């Protein structure tokens, strides 16, 4: 896992991700050193962003209300804050198969 993809802040952990909208599935995957989130939803009317939040929430078992897109609202590269999380806790949860 790339340390640049995840950093601790006083409010929680910021994940740097690349989003692939209109994919055939909703999932998280490491591609090289980059965390990619695939979503079935198209990048219109905030549908893909909401799907990204749901996918992260399900994978990390945190409430959707604790997840906030802080940069890249209309870009494929995003920074996502997971409020109250720690890097050590997410490190285990994000070790994907």
């Amino acid at each position: 896992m790339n340390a640049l993809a995840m950093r601790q802040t006083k409010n929680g952990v910021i994940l740097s991700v690349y989003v692939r909208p209109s994919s055939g599935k909703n999932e998280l995957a490491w591609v090289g050193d980059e965390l990619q989130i695939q979503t079935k939803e198209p990048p219109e009317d905030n549908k893909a962003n909401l799907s990204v939040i749901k996918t992260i929430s399900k994978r990390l078992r945190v409430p959707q209300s604790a997840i906030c897109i802080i940069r890249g609202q209309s870009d494929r590269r995003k920074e996502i804050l997971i409020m109250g999380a720690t890097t050590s806790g997410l490190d285990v949860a994000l070790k994907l198969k």
Side-chain angles (χ1 to χ4, degrees), residues 13-36:
V13 174
I14 295 176
L15 295 177
S16 296
V17 301
Y18 181 81
V19 176
R20 295 181 59 200
S22 302
S23 297
K25 52 192 164 187
N26 293 327
E27 73 173 12
L28 284 84
W30 286 101
V31 178
D33 285 341
E34 182 174 67
L35 181 59
Q36 289 190 4

Side-chain angles (χ1 to χ4, degrees), residues 27-76:
E27 73 173 12
L28 284 84
W30 286 101
V31 178
D33 285 341
E34 182 174 67
L35 181 59
Q36 289 190 4
I37 302 175
Q38 296 179 357
T39 177
K40 294 177 185 178
E41 297 297 331
E44 56 190 36
D45 299 326
N46 211 31
K47 290 178 184 177
N49 288 337
L50 293 173
S51 178
V52 164
I53 289 171
K54 288 178 186 176
T55 301
I56 292 171
S57 173
K58 183 177 178 181
R59 175 66 189 178
L60 300 181
R61 296 186 176 136
V62 298
Q64 292 179 31
S65 60
I67 301 169
C68 179
I69 298 173
I70 58 173
R71 181 173 289 145
Q73 193 72 23
S74 60
D75 192 0
R76 289 182 183 215

